[in-house]
Amino acid sequence: MDQSIPEWLRAVYAEALRMQRDPRSADLAVTALADAGGREFLASLLRLIAVVGRPEHVPTLRAWCSSEDELIRAQAFHALGVLGDESELPLLLAGMDDVSPWAALHAARGVRDAGGRGWLARVAATDDAHASLAGQVVFEERDL
């Protein structure tokens, strides 16, 4: 991406591509992650990848799940859940212990999206430390 364009404007472009669901932008977004810099642009790229990405982008998403920034972790967990499968559940389950409630919620939604709906439903019915979070994600499905 053109580095002479202000980062806030690049974030706007990424959001526009997400809204247009432009599948050609997925590879560009993955490449742009490497030198994106600011959190808003990074988050926009991760949201774009969640919409138009492909399974081969999953390894890149895994790396962003350990970002120091809670917004970036949240968006990476979301995208990983959308594009990943049950093999991503260990990372997403670990994400449910994130210090950020926002990132933990996105990790739990990622568990659901990656095929862990049954696990969430079972945990929601227990007194497990994750029961409340699991229940929230299970019950919000009914509102979709």
Side-chain angles (χ1 to χ4, degrees), residues 56-109:
E56 61 261 28
H57 298 135
V58 165
T60 299
L61 297 172
R62 281 188 209 117
W64 288 100
C65 289
S66 60
S67 170
E68 291 183 16
D69 188 305
E70 67 184 295
L71 171 65
I72 303 308
R73 288 193 311 276
Q75 295 307 315
F77 286 137
H78 168 70
L80 185 62
V82 170
L83 297 178
D85 57 24
E86 290 182 352
S87 66
E88 304 308 324
L89 289 177
L91 180 56
L92 292 165
L93 290 167
M96 289 176 63
D97 288 322
D98 198 287
V99 296
S100 162
W102 183 247
L105 176 60
H106 280 277
R109 289 174 176 160

Side-chain angles (χ1 to χ4, degrees), residues 16-27 48 51-53:
L17 290 169
R18 181 184 59 80
M19 288 188 270
Q20 293 175 0
R21 299 182 177 273
D22 182 350
R24 297 168 298 170
S25 62
D27 293 331
L48 172 59
V51 172
V52 298

